[in-house]
Amino acid sequence: MTTPDEEPVVIDQREKTRSALPFLAAFAIALVVLVAVVVLEATRPAERNLTDSDKMATAVRDYADAWNAADPAKLTAAACAGFDPARSPLAAAAGKKVDLVRLADPSIDGDHGKVTVTGSVDGKESSGTWSLTRSGGVWRVCD
């Protein structure tokens, strides 16, 4: 209740207008980041980020996969020219599936490298040093 001497207090109950500016700014920033990621991916593919050790590990895995698939074409592609399958690091496991357990101690000397590979055949682990050679930018298993 108001007395005649007091003026009534006016309360503005209209909703204030909200701005879309913060949302538009966030969208613009996200769009710039997305475009930057796409441009960087297109100009610098992920395979260029691999080290020689990573590429050697891929060559060993490719060879083991080809061995397990018993695919002569893939075995030839994963090995050096003139590679003798009888001297293969997996020759003792002829006709059996080989599971790679670990790859360790890669060493590289120019276009030649070695890596210690531990494999499992019928539940029995064994380790050996595999030789690899880089030819045309691609690492391949050699004897």
Side-chain angles (χ1 to χ4, degrees):
M1 301 217 177
T2 61
T3 61
D5 295 339
E6 293 180 27
E7 294 210 13
V9 177
V10 178
I11 300 175
D12 185 7
Q13 294 182 354
R14 293 177 287 167
E15 191 172 314
K16 294 183 180 182
T17 305
R18 295 187 179 162
S19 172
L21 187 60
F23 297 105
L24 293 174
F27 177 75
I29 291 170
L31 187 61
V32 166
V33 169
L34 180 64
V35 167
V37 167
V38 169
V39 167
L40 289 174
E41 178 62 29
T43 59
R44 184 156 175 88
E47 58 268 5
R48 289 181 55 187
N49 296 333
L50 296 176
T51 65
D52 279 332
S53 295
D54 295 333
K55 292 176 183 178
M56 287 172 50
T58 299
V60 169
R61 286 187 194 98
D62 288 347
Y63 186 84
D65 290 344
W67 178 272
N68 289 333
D71 187 334
K74 287 183 180 179
L75 280 169
T76 301
C80 295
F83 180 73
D84 181 7
R87 296 185 61 197
S88 162
L90 301 177
K96 297 181 181 178
K97 184 177 184 287
V98 175
D99 294 313
L100 294 180
V101 177
R102 98 183 120 266
L103 285 78
D105 306 323
S107 65
I108 300 168
D109 183 18
D111 286 338
H112 300 283
K114 293 187 181 290
V115 64
T116 302
V117 178
T118 302
S120 174
V121 177
D122 294 334
K124 295 179 184 177
E125 286 188 12
S126 64
S127 294
T129 301
W130 290 28
S131 297
L132 293 100
T133 299
R134 181 176 29 208
S135 172
V138 178
W139 286 96
R140 291 186 170 85
V141 175
C142 294
D143 46 4

